[in-house]
Amino acid sequence: MTGNLPVVETFHSLQGEGAHVGRSAFFIRLAGCDVGCSWCDTKHSWNSRNHPQITLEQLAEETATAAKDGAAFVVLTGGEPLQHNIAPLCEALHRATETNHGGPLAIHLETSGVNQLSGVPTWITLSPKRHAPPRTDLLAACHELKVVVHETDDLNFAEDMAKAALEARKNDNASQSRLSNTSKEPLLFLQPGWKTTRGQQLAFEHVQSHPHWRLSMQTHKWLGIR
Ligand SMILES: C[S@@+](CC[C@H](N)C(=O)[O-])C[C@H]1O[C@@H](n2cnc3c(N)ncnc32)[C@H](O)[C@@H]1O
Ligand SMILES: Nc1nc2[nH]cc(C(=O)O)c2c(=O)[nH]1
Ligand code: SF4
Ligand SMILES: [Mg+2]
């Protein structure tokens, strides 16, 4: 499998966010994002020209090694990973780990949902942005919604996105047929903007009074790990 992608970093850590928090995961952070969230904690990833092109083969090898070292899944993140066609990468990762004891390593995707889905991720974490709303097919296919909270409007947006995800599922069975395990409803997470007291307070209070939501706290940052 030839080809390469701009890569900020790869690292073996624990998933610090969302439904799989605390699990051993290998991260591939692709470079490039033009969504422009003012509060992005990874702005250094935005310009793909600032990062090296890495071959799919090397990424697959690193992932296979991480799987042997205990990674339960690989996370494709960024930057905005779907700014690239990640299908060849998913194929390379699948092939490099298919002889693993537990079968091919699961592929998790972290995305804002503004670009077309490519590849066949096992798990899609959709983190929608108010200023750049997600595509309907991503709302239909995602396994979890993770909304970052800074102010009250983010809570209204989160509830709108939860409703939109249900609506999209009703009207768009095509994307569900592409992805196995697509639950009927996505798991719902609120994630405070990092180090924002207001965001923490708003997210805590909303989850406390709305039991279908859960709190995601970026535990890796509290632990001081990547
Ligand atoms: C850096 S983004 C990369 C993946 C993709 N571009 C996205 O936005 O989902 C990974 C996750 O971190 C979240 N995030 C980014 N900056 C954050 C911040 N300052 N506080 C809390 N979460 C943040 C994003 O919303 C997303 O869920
Ligand atoms: N440990 C750890 N967990 C994460 N979950 C999502 C991350 C991301 O930047 O996409 C991330 C990250 O950067 N580190
Ligand atoms: S979409 Fe993701 S990577 Fe891009 S600016 Fe927003 S949070 Fe950062
Ligand atoms: Mg991060």
Side-chain angles (χ1 to χ4, degrees):
M1 172 65 63
T2 57
N4 47 38
L5 286 165
V7 177
V8 177
E9 58 183 344
T10 62
F11 57 99
H12 186 175
S13 184
L14 303 185
Q15 173 54 277
E17 304 177 11
H20 295 277
V21 65
R23 293 185 68 194
S24 177
F26 183 66
F27 291 82
I28 298 175
R29 188 183 302 291
L30 300 179
C33 183
D34 54 21
V35 180
C37 307
S38 58
W39 37 262
C40 177
D41 64 6
T42 322
K43 289 183 176 172
H44 61 282
S45 69
W46 289 4
N47 184 346
S48 52
R49 285 193 303 278
N50 294 345
H51 301 279
Q53 291 284 332
I54 305 296
T55 64
L56 303 186
E57 201 179 352
Q58 180 178 331
L59 293 172
E61 269 167 34
E62 289 181 17
T63 303
T65 303
K68 288 195 181 68
D69 293 344
F73 51 90
V74 53
V75 180
L76 305 182
T77 185
E80 179 40 63
L82 290 183
Q83 280 194 185
H84 306 283
N85 171 11
I86 61 168
L89 175 59
C90 289
E91 282 156 34
L93 297 176
H94 184 101
R95 246 203 341 282
T97 60
E98 61 190 347
T99 54
N100 282 17
H101 175 63
L105 201 62
I107 299 173
H108 291 202
L109 174 67
E110 297 269 351
T111 181
S112 62
V114 300
N115 304 94
Q116 187 170 352
L117 178 62
S118 54
V120 190
T122 322
W123 182 271
I124 298 175
T125 300
L126 174 60
S127 183
K129 309 298 188 274
R130 268 171 52 204
H131 69 286
R135 292 167 53 101
T136 308
D137 53 351
L138 267 298
L139 281 164
C142 68
H143 297 77
E144 70 179 319
L145 266 182
K146 184 173 62 179
V147 182
V148 176
V149 179
H150 291 88
E151 53 196 5
T152 311
D153 282 352
D154 294 322
L155 297 176
N156 302 329
F157 176 67
E159 291 293 356
D160 290 346
M161 286 292 101
K163 288 189 192 79
L166 291 185
E167 204 47 42
R169 276 154 166 73
K170 272 192 225 130
N171 310 331
D172 177 357
N173 291 324
S175 56
Q176 295 197 45
S177 60
R178 279 190 64 210
L179 295 165
S180 60
N181 294 337
T182 301
S183 60
K184 287 282 165 286
E185 296 178 20
L187 295 173
L188 303 175
F189 285 88
L190 295 179
Q191 182 159 295
W194 178 241
K195 284 196 175 165
T196 63
T197 316
R198 181 88 178 113
Q200 289 169 4
Q201 183 198 1
L202 286 170
F204 168 75
E205 287 169 0
H206 197 79
V207 170
Q208 192 182 36
S209 51
H210 297 77
H212 47 297
W213 288 91
R214 305 166 193 224
L215 191 63
S216 173
M217 284 303 288
Q218 295 195 293
T219 44
H220 54 296
K221 292 183 179 176
W222 293 97
L223 283 172
I225 60 173
R226 273 210 283 189

